[in-house]
Amino acid sequence: MTRPVRHNSPAKTGKPAPQNDHATHAQERGSVIEYPRRPLTDWLPTSVKEMKAWGWEEVDIVLFSGDAYVDHPSFAAAVLGRTLVEIGGYKVAIVPQPNWQDDLRDFRKFGRPRLFFGISAGAMDSMVNHYTAARRRRSDDAYTPGGRHGMRPDYPTIVYAEILRRLFPDVPVIAGGIEASLRRLSHYDYWQDRLRPSILADAPVDMIVYGMGELPLLELARRLDAGEKISDIRDVPQTVVFSSPEEMKAVTEDKSRESIVLNSWEKCRRDKKAQAENFKHIEQQSNRFTGATLWQQMDAGRYVRVNPMYPPMTTGQIDSFYDLKYTRLPHPRYIGKRIPAFDMIRFSINLHRGCFGGCAFCTISAHQGKFIASRSKESILKEARAVTAMPGFKGYISDLGGPSANMYCMGGKDKGICARCLRPSCLHPRPCPNLNHDHRPLLDIYKAVDALPGVKKSFIGSGVRYDLSMHRSGDKALDDAGRRYNEELIVNHVSGRLKVAPEHTEDAVLNIMRKPSFSLFEEFNRLFDNINRRNNLRQQLIPYFISSHPGCHEIDMANLAVKTKRLDFHLEQVQDFTPTPMTVATEIYYTGYHPYTLEKIFTPVTSEEKLAQRQYFFWYDRAYRAPITAALNRLHRPDLLRALFSR
C-alpha cells in the first residue's frame, strides 16, 4: 500500500556471495555497513560446513524458507529454528531460498533429517509477493538479497513439497507459514481466478501447521522424537491433516469435543453460497479461546481436519521466544547485499501478537488470532538494549509496535465472556463493553524505552487504531489514558508522518470493511492538527484508503474524493483491493454473498470498474479531469462535479 500526502505540506520523498567465517555486511540507505567480526556459529547452519562447525554430523530438522535467512525475531525461520534448537534441544538447519531449477543440491545437501522437513513460502503468500492487484508481475522481492525477484517459485509450498517427497519419500514433510496457513481449507485464488481446495490436497505434505508455529512445532518434534509416526499424530492444536470418513464420524460423535462439518469442496465448487456459508464458521472458530475442530470433505475417501488453535500465549511463553540468542543480523552469506525487508525492521521491536480489529480485508486474526499475547516489560527492554548495541544504530528505534500499534496488554475484562464470544472484531460495529482499552501499560513501555542509555527517540511505525485511543467508555481512568496516549504519540513518537487507516469515507463501505465512521477520522485529524499547532510541530497525518472494496460503488469513490479534498489531502499513491485467501472481503468478492448474512453484495471485479473507481483518488491530476467529469455527468451528480472542480 502506498501513502497519500497532505497538500499543504512538502512530501518526503541471484547467487549468494561467498561466505565469510567472521564478518558480514549490510546496506543502510545504499551504503554497506561492516558488522563486528563474529563466528558463523552465531547463526544457525545453512551449509554442511556450518553444521560441522556446530559439532553436528547430522541434523534432526531442516527448515526450507522462501525468504532470505535473517536471524531476527521478525523472521519466522529464525524464530522457529532457534525455538527448536534452544528450547527443544534439537539440531536444526535452515535452507533459505533453495534453488528449485537446478540439480536440486540445496534440497539434498543435509541429507535425510532424523525427524522432519519443514517448508514455508516465507513471510508473505507467494502470489501476493509476486503479483500486483492488477495481476502484473512485480519486479522486486523485499525478502531477497538486493530485492531481486525470481528467487522463489509461485506456490513454493507446493513446489518444495513435491521435490522433497520425490527425493525423500519416507521423511515427514510439514508445511507452515502464511501461504499454507491461509490456504488450509477451500479458498479463492485471485491470481488463478478460481476456487482451490485445501493446499493439503495440492502439496504432498503430511501436515500443515497454521498460525504462529512455535508451540505446535515443539510438540510435533517431541512426539516424533518419542517414536510416534507422523500418520498417528492427529490432535496437535493448530495442525491440519487428512482424515478418513471413519475418523471424522468417530470424532464428530464424541460429545466431549466440539466439531463443525463444513460444506464439502465439491459443493463449494458448484455453489458459491456454500463457500460463503463455510467462511463464517472458519472465521469464528479462528477467533475463539477454544475453537471447534473443522472438517471439510475433499473427495470420497478423505476429509481435511483442522484442529483448533492453541489458547492465547501467556506472557512467559511469548517472552521465551523473543528472548532467544538472535544476532539480529542477516546471515554472512549475504555479505555486501541489501535485504529491503531487513532494512525496514532492523531497529524495530514487536510488543505483542494478535489483533482484535477484525478488518474485513485483513488476515492477521486468521493467522495470529484476535486475542492479544503481550510481552513483558523486561523482555521488551532487553531487546531494546540489544538494538542499541547493533551496528549502525544512531539512537532511533523505528517502531515500538505490533499488528496494530496500540493493542499492547489489551483484552477482555471478564475472560469468561471472551471464552464464549464469537465476534470477529472487538471494535466493530462498536467497541465491546467488556474490552479493557487501557493505554497506560503502553505509555509505560514508551517511557521506559526512551529512558534507556543510547536511545534518543522511539517512533511508532505500525498502524495506530485511533478508534481505540479515542474510544470513550465512560471509565474516567481509561478514557484519560487514551487522551494521554494520543498526546504522547503525536508529540514524541511520530517520525514526521503518522500512519492511520480510515480506508474509506462512506459508512456503507466502512460497515462492510468493519471500520469506524469517517467522522472519527475527521475528529482525530483535528486533534492531530491542534496538538501539532500547540507544540510548534510540522508533521503529516498519512491516511490509507482502498478502492474497489466489496460494497463500494463508483459514487462512493466520488464522495471519497470530495471529502478528502475538503480536508486538503492529495492522495498520491493508494491501493486497489486485492483479494487474499481467508478474509471476509475475499469471500464476498468471489461468492457475491456476505458470509454472515448471505445477502448479495456488489463488488467491482472488472478492470474497467476498478479503473473507474481508482481515478477518483487522483481528481487533482489534470489527466483525470476529463474522465471524472464525464463519469459524474453520467452519474447525474453535478454537485460533486462542482465540489471537485469549483473553478
Side-chain angles (χ1 to χ4, degrees), residues 182-189 194-198 262-283 296-298 580-584 586-596 598:
L182 301 184
R183 295 171 180 265
R184 57 190 183 258
L185 290 158
S186 62
H187 58 278
Y188 173 67
D189 189 297
R194 70 181 179 95
L195 194 71
R196 295 187 64 144
S198 164
L262 304 172
N263 293 314
S264 71
W265 153 240
E266 280 299 328
K267 185 174 182 180
C268 291
R269 290 177 67 185
R270 296 192 308 268
D271 181 0
K272 290 184 176 181
K273 187 178 283 189
Q275 173 68 15
E277 289 173 343
N278 276 1
F279 187 78
K280 176 181 177 180
H281 296 298
I282 295 168
E283 183 177 50
Q296 186 179 32
Q297 188 174 12
M298 288 291 124
T580 54
M582 206 167 282
T583 70
V584 174
T586 297
E587 297 302 321
I588 298 172
Y589 177 94
Y590 168 67
T591 68
Y593 298 97
H594 196 294
Y596 283 77
L598 297 183

Short mmCIF file of all heavy atoms in Angstrom, two decimals, residues 182-189 194-198 262-283 296-298 580-584 586-596 598:
data_model
loop_
_atom_site.label_atom_id
_atom_site.label_comp_id
_atom_site.label_asym_id
_atom_site.label_seq_id
_atom_site.Cartn_x
_atom_site.Cartn_y
_atom_site.Cartn_z
N LEU A 182 -3.15 -19.78 5.46
CA LEU A 182 -4.37 -19.15 4.97
C LEU A 182 -5.03 -19.93 3.84
O LEU A 182 -6.12 -19.58 3.39
CB LEU A 182 -4.06 -17.72 4.51
CG LEU A 182 -3.48 -16.81 5.59
CD1 LEU A 182 -3.29 -15.40 5.06
CD2 LEU A 182 -4.35 -16.80 6.83
N ARG A 183 -4.38 -21.00 3.41
CA ARG A 183 -4.96 -21.85 2.37
C ARG A 183 -5.30 -23.23 2.94
O ARG A 183 -5.31 -24.22 2.22
CB ARG A 183 -3.98 -21.96 1.20
CG ARG A 183 -3.74 -20.64 0.47
CD ARG A 183 -2.60 -20.73 -0.54
NE ARG A 183 -2.36 -19.47 -1.22
CZ ARG A 183 -2.88 -19.13 -2.41
NH1 ARG A 183 -3.65 -19.99 -3.04
NH2 ARG A 183 -2.62 -17.96 -2.95
N ARG A 184 -5.58 -23.28 4.24
CA ARG A 184 -5.78 -24.57 4.90
C ARG A 184 -7.10 -25.23 4.56
O ARG A 184 -7.27 -26.44 4.76
CB ARG A 184 -5.62 -24.43 6.41
CG ARG A 184 -6.52 -23.43 7.09
CD ARG A 184 -6.06 -23.26 8.53
NE ARG A 184 -6.88 -22.38 9.36
CZ ARG A 184 -6.57 -21.14 9.68
NH1 ARG A 184 -5.46 -20.59 9.19
NH2 ARG A 184 -7.35 -20.43 10.46
N LEU A 185 -8.07 -24.48 4.05
CA LEU A 185 -9.35 -25.02 3.60
C LEU A 185 -9.63 -24.49 2.20
O LEU A 185 -8.83 -23.75 1.64
CB LEU A 185 -10.46 -24.63 4.59
CG LEU A 185 -10.36 -25.33 5.96
CD1 LEU A 185 -11.09 -24.54 7.04
CD2 LEU A 185 -10.90 -26.76 5.87
N SER A 186 -10.74 -24.87 1.60
CA SER A 186 -11.04 -24.38 0.26
C SER A 186 -11.01 -22.86 0.27
O SER A 186 -11.50 -22.21 1.19
CB SER A 186 -12.40 -24.90 -0.22
OG SER A 186 -13.45 -24.45 0.61
N HIS A 187 -10.41 -22.28 -0.75
CA HIS A 187 -10.17 -20.85 -0.76
C HIS A 187 -10.15 -20.32 -2.19
O HIS A 187 -9.82 -21.04 -3.13
CB HIS A 187 -8.82 -20.54 -0.10
CG HIS A 187 -7.66 -21.22 -0.77
ND1 HIS A 187 -7.34 -22.54 -0.51
CD2 HIS A 187 -6.77 -20.79 -1.71
CE1 HIS A 187 -6.30 -22.89 -1.25
NE2 HIS A 187 -5.94 -21.84 -2.00
N TYR A 188 -10.49 -19.05 -2.33
CA TYR A 188 -10.45 -18.41 -3.64
C TYR A 188 -9.05 -17.90 -3.92
O TYR A 188 -8.45 -17.22 -3.10
CB TYR A 188 -11.44 -17.24 -3.69
CG TYR A 188 -11.33 -16.42 -4.96
CD1 TYR A 188 -11.69 -16.98 -6.20
CD2 TYR A 188 -10.86 -15.11 -4.93
CE1 TYR A 188 -11.57 -16.24 -7.36
CE2 TYR A 188 -10.76 -14.37 -6.09
CZ TYR A 188 -11.11 -14.93 -7.31
OH TYR A 188 -11.00 -14.19 -8.46
N ASP A 189 -8.54 -18.26 -5.09
CA ASP A 189 -7.23 -17.80 -5.54
C ASP A 189 -7.44 -16.73 -6.61
O ASP A 189 -7.85 -17.02 -7.73
CB ASP A 189 -6.41 -18.97 -6.09
CG ASP A 189 -4.97 -18.58 -6.37
OD1 ASP A 189 -4.76 -17.70 -7.24
OD2 ASP A 189 -4.06 -19.13 -5.73
N ARG A 194 -9.97 -18.73 -9.45
CA ARG A 194 -10.76 -19.95 -9.24
C ARG A 194 -10.70 -20.38 -7.79
O ARG A 194 -9.79 -19.97 -7.04
CB ARG A 194 -10.25 -21.08 -10.13
CG ARG A 194 -8.87 -21.65 -9.76
CD ARG A 194 -8.47 -22.74 -10.74
NE ARG A 194 -7.15 -23.30 -10.47
CZ ARG A 194 -6.95 -24.41 -9.75
NH1 ARG A 194 -7.98 -25.06 -9.23
NH2 ARG A 194 -5.73 -24.89 -9.56
N LEU A 195 -11.68 -21.18 -7.41
CA LEU A 195 -11.68 -21.76 -6.07
C LEU A 195 -10.72 -22.94 -6.07
O LEU A 195 -10.76 -23.79 -6.96
CB LEU A 195 -13.09 -22.21 -5.69
CG LEU A 195 -13.30 -22.54 -4.22
CD1 LEU A 195 -13.29 -21.27 -3.38
CD2 LEU A 195 -14.62 -23.30 -4.01
N ARG A 196 -9.87 -22.98 -5.05
CA ARG A 196 -8.93 -24.09 -4.92
C ARG A 196 -9.25 -24.87 -3.65
O ARG A 196 -9.80 -24.32 -2.69
CB ARG A 196 -7.48 -23.57 -4.86
CG ARG A 196 -7.03 -22.91 -6.14
CD ARG A 196 -5.56 -22.58 -6.11
NE ARG A 196 -4.73 -23.79 -6.01
CZ ARG A 196 -3.55 -23.92 -6.61
NH1 ARG A 196 -3.06 -22.94 -7.34
NH2 ARG A 196 -2.86 -25.03 -6.46
N PRO A 197 -8.90 -26.15 -3.62
CA PRO A 197 -9.10 -26.92 -2.41
C PRO A 197 -8.07 -26.56 -1.35
O PRO A 197 -7.21 -25.71 -1.58
CB PRO A 197 -8.90 -28.37 -2.89
CG PRO A 197 -7.90 -28.23 -4.01
CD PRO A 197 -8.25 -26.93 -4.69
N SER A 198 -8.15 -27.19 -0.20
CA SER A 198 -7.10 -27.02 0.80
C SER A 198 -5.75 -27.28 0.15
O SER A 198 -5.60 -28.18 -0.68
CB SER A 198 -7.31 -28.02 1.94
OG SER A 198 -6.14 -28.13 2.73
N LEU A 262 -18.03 -28.71 7.59
CA LEU A 262 -18.27 -27.67 6.60
C LEU A 262 -18.84 -28.26 5.31
O LEU A 262 -18.80 -29.48 5.11
CB LEU A 262 -16.96 -26.94 6.28
CG LEU A 262 -16.22 -26.31 7.46
CD1 LEU A 262 -14.84 -25.82 7.01
CD2 LEU A 262 -17.02 -25.17 8.06
N ASN A 263 -19.35 -27.39 4.46
CA ASN A 263 -19.75 -27.84 3.13
C ASN A 263 -18.54 -28.41 2.40
O ASN A 263 -17.43 -27.88 2.51
CB ASN A 263 -20.33 -26.68 2.32
CG ASN A 263 -21.63 -26.18 2.89
OD1 ASN A 263 -22.52 -26.96 3.24
ND2 ASN A 263 -21.77 -24.87 3.02
N SER A 264 -18.74 -29.48 1.65
CA SER A 264 -17.63 -30.17 1.00
C SER A 264 -17.02 -29.31 -0.09
O SER A 264 -17.63 -28.35 -0.60
CB SER A 264 -18.12 -31.48 0.39
OG SER A 264 -18.95 -31.22 -0.74
N TRP A 265 -15.81 -29.67 -0.46
CA TRP A 265 -15.10 -28.99 -1.53
C TRP A 265 -15.91 -29.04 -2.83
O TRP A 265 -16.07 -28.03 -3.52
CB TRP A 265 -13.72 -29.64 -1.70
CG TRP A 265 -13.07 -29.56 -3.05
CD1 TRP A 265 -12.69 -30.61 -3.83
CD2 TRP A 265 -12.67 -28.38 -3.75
NE1 TRP A 265 -12.10 -30.16 -4.97
CE2 TRP A 265 -12.06 -28.79 -4.95
CE3 TRP A 265 -12.77 -27.03 -3.49
CZ2 TRP A 265 -11.56 -27.91 -5.90
CZ3 TRP A 265 -12.27 -26.13 -4.43
CH2 TRP A 265 -11.68 -26.57 -5.61
N GLU A 266 -16.49 -30.19 -3.14
CA GLU A 266 -17.27 -30.31 -4.37
C GLU A 266 -18.50 -29.42 -4.33
O GLU A 266 -18.86 -28.78 -5.32
CB GLU A 266 -17.68 -31.77 -4.60
CG GLU A 266 -16.60 -32.63 -5.20
CD GLU A 266 -16.17 -32.14 -6.58
OE1 GLU A 266 -17.01 -31.59 -7.32
OE2 GLU A 266 -14.99 -32.30 -6.92
N LYS A 267 -19.17 -29.36 -3.18
CA LYS A 267 -20.35 -28.50 -3.08
C LYS A 267 -19.97 -27.03 -3.23
O LYS A 267 -20.68 -26.25 -3.87
CB LYS A 267 -21.07 -28.73 -1.75
CG LYS A 267 -22.37 -27.95 -1.63
CD LYS A 267 -23.14 -28.29 -0.36
CE LYS A 267 -24.46 -27.51 -0.32
NZ LYS A 267 -25.24 -27.81 0.90
N CYS A 268 -18.84 -26.65 -2.64
CA CYS A 268 -18.39 -25.26 -2.76
C CYS A 268 -18.03 -24.91 -4.19
O CYS A 268 -18.24 -23.78 -4.64
CB CYS A 268 -17.20 -25.01 -1.84
SG CYS A 268 -17.60 -25.05 -0.08
N ARG A 269 -17.49 -25.87 -4.93
CA ARG A 269 -17.18 -25.63 -6.34
C ARG A 269 -18.45 -25.38 -7.14
O ARG A 269 -18.47 -24.55 -8.05
CB ARG A 269 -16.44 -26.82 -6.94
CG ARG A 269 -15.01 -26.99 -6.44
CD ARG A 269 -14.37 -28.23 -7.04
NE ARG A 269 -14.17 -28.10 -8.48
CZ ARG A 269 -13.70 -29.09 -9.25
NH1 ARG A 269 -13.43 -30.28 -8.71
NH2 ARG A 269 -13.51 -28.91 -10.53
N ARG A 270 -19.52 -26.09 -6.80
CA ARG A 270 -20.77 -25.96 -7.54
C ARG A 270 -21.60 -24.77 -7.09
O ARG A 270 -22.33 -24.17 -7.88
CB ARG A 270 -21.62 -27.23 -7.38
CG ARG A 270 -21.01 -28.49 -7.96
CD ARG A 270 -22.03 -29.61 -8.01
NE ARG A 270 -22.70 -29.81 -6.72
CZ ARG A 270 -22.29 -30.67 -5.80
NH1 ARG A 270 -21.19 -31.39 -6.01
NH2 ARG A 270 -22.94 -30.80 -4.66
N ASP A 271 -21.48 -24.42 -5.80
CA ASP A 271 -22.39 -23.44 -5.20
C ASP A 271 -21.58 -22.42 -4.40
O ASP A 271 -21.05 -22.74 -3.33
CB ASP A 271 -23.39 -24.16 -4.31
CG ASP A 271 -24.40 -23.22 -3.66
OD1 ASP A 271 -24.33 -22.00 -3.91
OD2 ASP A 271 -25.25 -23.71 -2.89
N LYS A 272 -21.48 -21.21 -4.89
CA LYS A 272 -20.69 -20.19 -4.22
C LYS A 272 -21.26 -19.84 -2.85
O LYS A 272 -20.51 -19.49 -1.93
CB LYS A 272 -20.59 -18.93 -5.09
CG LYS A 272 -19.72 -19.13 -6.32
CD LYS A 272 -19.57 -17.83 -7.11
CE LYS A 272 -18.62 -18.01 -8.29
NZ LYS A 272 -18.45 -16.75 -9.04
N LYS A 273 -22.56 -19.95 -2.71
CA LYS A 273 -23.15 -19.64 -1.41
C LYS A 273 -22.67 -20.63 -0.35
O LYS A 273 -22.50 -20.27 0.83
CB LYS A 273 -24.67 -19.66 -1.49
CG LYS A 273 -25.35 -19.17 -0.21
CD LYS A 273 -26.88 -19.16 -0.34
CE LYS A 273 -27.34 -17.98 -1.14
NZ LYS A 273 -28.82 -17.82 -1.08
N ALA A 274 -22.41 -21.87 -0.74
CA ALA A 274 -21.89 -22.87 0.20
C ALA A 274 -20.50 -22.47 0.70
O ALA A 274 -20.17 -22.66 1.88
CB ALA A 274 -21.84 -24.25 -0.46
N GLN A 275 -19.68 -21.91 -0.19
CA GLN A 275 -18.37 -21.42 0.22
C GLN A 275 -18.51 -20.27 1.20
O GLN A 275 -17.80 -20.19 2.21
CB GLN A 275 -17.56 -20.99 -1.01
CG GLN A 275 -16.24 -20.32 -0.71
CD GLN A 275 -15.19 -21.22 -0.11
OE1 GLN A 275 -15.31 -22.45 -0.14
NE2 GLN A 275 -14.15 -20.64 0.46
N ALA A 276 -19.45 -19.35 0.93
CA ALA A 276 -19.68 -18.23 1.84
C ALA A 276 -20.14 -18.73 3.21
O ALA A 276 -19.69 -18.23 4.25
CB ALA A 276 -20.71 -17.28 1.25
N GLU A 277 -21.02 -19.71 3.23
CA GLU A 277 -21.50 -20.28 4.50
C GLU A 277 -20.34 -20.85 5.31
O GLU A 277 -20.28 -20.71 6.52
CB GLU A 277 -22.53 -21.37 4.23
CG GLU A 277 -23.87 -20.86 3.73
CD GLU A 277 -24.80 -22.00 3.32
OE1 GLU A 277 -24.30 -23.13 3.13
OE2 GLU A 277 -26.01 -21.76 3.20
N ASN A 278 -19.41 -21.50 4.62
CA ASN A 278 -18.25 -22.08 5.31
C ASN A 278 -17.43 -21.02 6.04
O ASN A 278 -16.97 -21.21 7.16
CB ASN A 278 -17.33 -22.79 4.31
CG ASN A 278 -17.77 -24.20 4.00
OD1 ASN A 278 -18.78 -24.68 4.51
ND2 ASN A 278 -17.03 -24.87 3.15
N PHE A 279 -17.25 -19.88 5.37
CA PHE A 279 -16.30 -18.92 5.91
C PHE A 279 -16.72 -18.36 7.26
O PHE A 279 -15.87 -18.08 8.11
CB PHE A 279 -16.04 -17.76 4.93
CG PHE A 279 -14.94 -16.87 5.42
CD1 PHE A 279 -13.63 -17.24 5.28
CD2 PHE A 279 -15.22 -15.69 6.10
CE1 PHE A 279 -12.60 -16.45 5.77
CE2 PHE A 279 -14.21 -14.90 6.59
CZ PHE A 279 -12.89 -15.28 6.43
N LYS A 280 -18.00 -18.20 7.46
CA LYS A 280 -18.46 -17.71 8.76
C LYS A 280 -17.95 -18.60 9.88
O LYS A 280 -17.43 -18.13 10.90
CB LYS A 280 -19.99 -17.64 8.79
CG LYS A 280 -20.56 -17.23 10.14
CD LYS A 280 -22.08 -17.22 10.11
CE LYS A 280 -22.67 -16.87 11.48
NZ LYS A 280 -24.15 -16.87 11.46
N HIS A 281 -18.05 -19.92 9.70
CA HIS A 281 -17.56 -20.85 10.72
C HIS A 281 -16.04 -20.78 10.85
O HIS A 281 -15.50 -20.82 11.96
CB HIS A 281 -17.98 -22.28 10.37
CG HIS A 281 -19.46 -22.50 10.37
ND1 HIS A 281 -20.24 -22.34 11.50
CD2 HIS A 281 -20.33 -22.86 9.38
CE1 HIS A 281 -21.50 -22.60 11.23
NE2 HIS A 281 -21.58 -22.92 9.95
N ILE A 282 -15.36 -20.70 9.72
CA ILE A 282 -13.90 -20.67 9.75
C ILE A 282 -13.40 -19.47 10.53
O ILE A 282 -12.53 -19.58 11.40
CB ILE A 282 -13.34 -20.65 8.31
CG1 ILE A 282 -13.68 -21.95 7.58
CG2 ILE A 282 -11.82 -20.43 8.32
CD1 ILE A 282 -13.43 -21.91 6.09
N GLU A 283 -13.97 -18.29 10.25
CA GLU A 283 -13.51 -17.09 10.94
C GLU A 283 -13.87 -17.13 12.41
O GLU A 283 -13.05 -16.79 13.28
CB GLU A 283 -14.12 -15.85 10.29
CG GLU A 283 -13.59 -14.56 10.93
CD GLU A 283 -14.12 -13.31 10.28
OE1 GLU A 283 -15.34 -13.21 10.09
OE2 GLU A 283 -13.31 -12.43 9.96
N GLN A 296 -13.69 -30.72 6.42
CA GLN A 296 -14.19 -30.48 5.08
C GLN A 296 -13.81 -31.64 4.18
O GLN A 296 -12.64 -32.00 4.08
CB GLN A 296 -13.64 -29.18 4.48
CG GLN A 296 -14.27 -28.86 3.13
CD GLN A 296 -13.77 -27.56 2.52
OE1 GLN A 296 -12.62 -27.17 2.71
NE2 GLN A 296 -14.63 -26.90 1.74
N GLN A 297 -14.81 -32.22 3.56
CA GLN A 297 -14.57 -33.36 2.67
C GLN A 297 -13.93 -32.88 1.38
O GLN A 297 -14.40 -31.95 0.73
CB GLN A 297 -15.88 -34.08 2.36
CG GLN A 297 -15.69 -35.38 1.59
CD GLN A 297 -16.99 -36.15 1.43
OE1 GLN A 297 -18.07 -35.62 1.69
NE2 GLN A 297 -16.90 -37.40 1.02
N MET A 298 -12.81 -33.52 1.00
CA MET A 298 -12.12 -33.19 -0.24
C MET A 298 -12.50 -34.13 -1.38
O MET A 298 -12.63 -33.72 -2.52
CB MET A 298 -10.59 -33.23 -0.04
CG MET A 298 -10.05 -32.08 0.78
SD MET A 298 -10.15 -30.49 -0.08
CE MET A 298 -11.09 -29.52 1.10
N THR A 580 -7.20 -11.72 -0.97
CA THR A 580 -6.23 -12.69 -0.48
C THR A 580 -6.96 -13.78 0.29
O THR A 580 -8.03 -13.53 0.85
CB THR A 580 -5.19 -12.02 0.45
OG1 THR A 580 -5.89 -11.32 1.49
CG2 THR A 580 -4.34 -11.03 -0.32
N PRO A 581 -6.44 -14.99 0.32
CA PRO A 581 -7.18 -16.08 0.96
C PRO A 581 -7.53 -15.80 2.42
O PRO A 581 -6.77 -15.19 3.16
CB PRO A 581 -6.20 -17.27 0.86
CG PRO A 581 -5.35 -16.96 -0.33
CD PRO A 581 -5.19 -15.46 -0.30
N MET A 582 -8.73 -16.24 2.80
CA MET A 582 -9.22 -16.25 4.17
C MET A 582 -9.47 -14.86 4.74
O MET A 582 -9.05 -14.54 5.85
CB MET A 582 -8.30 -17.07 5.08
CG MET A 582 -9.04 -17.62 6.30
SD MET A 582 -8.15 -18.90 7.23
CE MET A 582 -8.44 -20.32 6.17
N THR A 583 -10.19 -14.04 4.00
CA THR A 583 -10.74 -12.80 4.55
C THR A 583 -12.20 -12.71 4.15
O THR A 583 -12.62 -13.25 3.11
CB THR A 583 -10.02 -11.54 4.03
OG1 THR A 583 -10.32 -11.35 2.64
CG2 THR A 583 -8.51 -11.63 4.23
N VAL A 584 -12.98 -12.00 4.96
CA VAL A 584 -14.40 -11.80 4.65
C VAL A 584 -14.55 -11.11 3.30
O VAL A 584 -15.40 -11.48 2.48
CB VAL A 584 -15.08 -10.94 5.75
CG1 VAL A 584 -16.51 -10.62 5.37
CG2 VAL A 584 -15.06 -11.67 7.08
N THR A 586 -12.61 -11.12 0.70
CA THR A 586 -12.33 -12.02 -0.42
C THR A 586 -13.50 -12.96 -0.68
O THR A 586 -13.85 -13.22 -1.83
CB THR A 586 -11.04 -12.82 -0.15
OG1 THR A 586 -9.95 -11.91 -0.05
CG2 THR A 586 -10.77 -13.82 -1.26
N GLU A 587 -14.11 -13.45 0.39
CA GLU A 587 -15.26 -14.34 0.20
C GLU A 587 -16.41 -13.59 -0.48
O GLU A 587 -17.11 -14.14 -1.33
CB GLU A 587 -15.72 -14.89 1.55
CG GLU A 587 -14.69 -15.76 2.26
CD GLU A 587 -14.25 -16.96 1.44
OE1 GLU A 587 -15.11 -17.57 0.75
OE2 GLU A 587 -13.05 -17.28 1.47
N ILE A 588 -16.62 -12.33 -0.11
CA ILE A 588 -17.66 -11.54 -0.76
C ILE A 588 -17.30 -11.32 -2.23
O ILE A 588 -18.14 -11.46 -3.13
CB ILE A 588 -17.85 -10.19 -0.05
CG1 ILE A 588 -18.32 -10.40 1.39
CG2 ILE A 588 -18.86 -9.33 -0.80
CD1 ILE A 588 -18.35 -9.12 2.22
N TYR A 589 -16.04 -10.98 -2.49
CA TYR A 589 -15.57 -10.75 -3.85
C TYR A 589 -15.84 -11.96 -4.73
O TYR A 589 -16.34 -11.84 -5.85
CB TYR A 589 -14.08 -10.44 -3.83
CG TYR A 589 -13.45 -10.24 -5.19
CD1 TYR A 589 -13.33 -8.97 -5.73
CD2 TYR A 589 -12.97 -11.32 -5.93
CE1 TYR A 589 -12.74 -8.77 -6.98
CE2 TYR A 589 -12.39 -11.14 -7.18
CZ TYR A 589 -12.28 -9.87 -7.70
OH TYR A 589 -11.71 -9.71 -8.94
N TYR A 590 -15.51 -13.14 -4.23
CA TYR A 590 -15.65 -14.36 -5.04
C TYR A 590 -17.10 -14.84 -5.12
O TYR A 590 -17.60 -15.15 -6.21
CB TYR A 590 -14.76 -15.48 -4.48
CG TYR A 590 -15.07 -16.83 -5.09
CD1 TYR A 590 -14.81 -17.08 -6.43
CD2 TYR A 590 -15.66 -17.84 -4.32
CE1 TYR A 590 -15.11 -18.31 -7.00
CE2 TYR A 590 -15.97 -19.07 -4.89
CZ TYR A 590 -15.70 -19.30 -6.23
OH TYR A 590 -16.01 -20.50 -6.80
N THR A 591 -17.76 -14.91 -3.98
CA THR A 591 -19.09 -15.53 -3.96
C THR A 591 -20.21 -14.56 -4.29
O THR A 591 -21.27 -14.96 -4.78
CB THR A 591 -19.39 -16.14 -2.58
OG1 THR A 591 -19.53 -15.09 -1.60
CG2 THR A 591 -18.28 -17.10 -2.15
N GLY A 592 -20.00 -13.27 -3.98
CA GLY A 592 -21.08 -12.29 -4.15
C GLY A 592 -22.00 -12.21 -2.95
O GLY A 592 -22.93 -11.40 -2.94
N TYR A 593 -21.72 -13.01 -1.91
CA TYR A 593 -22.57 -13.04 -0.71
C TYR A 593 -21.75 -12.65 0.52
O TYR A 593 -20.57 -13.01 0.61
CB TYR A 593 -23.15 -14.43 -0.47
CG TYR A 593 -24.05 -14.93 -1.58
CD1 TYR A 593 -23.55 -15.79 -2.57
CD2 TYR A 593 -25.39 -14.57 -1.63
CE1 TYR A 593 -24.37 -16.27 -3.58
CE2 TYR A 593 -26.22 -15.04 -2.66
CZ TYR A 593 -25.69 -15.89 -3.62
OH TYR A 593 -26.50 -16.35 -4.63
N HIS A 594 -22.40 -11.96 1.46
CA HIS A 594 -21.75 -11.72 2.74
C HIS A 594 -21.88 -12.98 3.59
O HIS A 594 -23.00 -13.47 3.82
CB HIS A 594 -22.38 -10.54 3.47
CG HIS A 594 -21.54 -10.02 4.58
ND1 HIS A 594 -21.27 -10.76 5.72
CD2 HIS A 594 -20.87 -8.84 4.73
CE1 HIS A 594 -20.49 -10.06 6.53
NE2 HIS A 594 -20.22 -8.90 5.95
N PRO A 595 -20.77 -13.55 4.07
CA PRO A 595 -20.85 -14.83 4.80
C PRO A 595 -21.74 -14.80 6.04
O PRO A 595 -22.26 -15.85 6.44
CB PRO A 595 -19.39 -15.09 5.18
CG PRO A 595 -18.59 -14.38 4.16
CD PRO A 595 -19.37 -13.13 3.86
N TYR A 596 -21.93 -13.65 6.66
CA TYR A 596 -22.70 -13.60 7.91
C TYR A 596 -24.19 -13.37 7.68
O TYR A 596 -25.01 -13.69 8.55
CB TYR A 596 -22.13 -12.52 8.83
CG TYR A 596 -20.86 -12.96 9.51
CD1 TYR A 596 -19.66 -12.98 8.81
CD2 TYR A 596 -20.85 -13.40 10.82
CE1 TYR A 596 -18.49 -13.40 9.40
CE2 TYR A 596 -19.68 -13.82 11.43
CZ TYR A 596 -18.50 -13.83 10.71
OH TYR A 596 -17.34 -14.26 11.30
N LEU A 598 -25.54 -13.73 4.20
CA LEU A 598 -25.83 -14.34 2.89
C LEU A 598 -26.60 -13.39 1.99
O LEU A 598 -27.26 -13.82 1.03
CB LEU A 598 -26.56 -15.68 3.06
CG LEU A 598 -25.76 -16.77 3.79
CD1 LEU A 598 -26.54 -18.07 3.83
CD2 LEU A 598 -24.40 -16.99 3.10
#
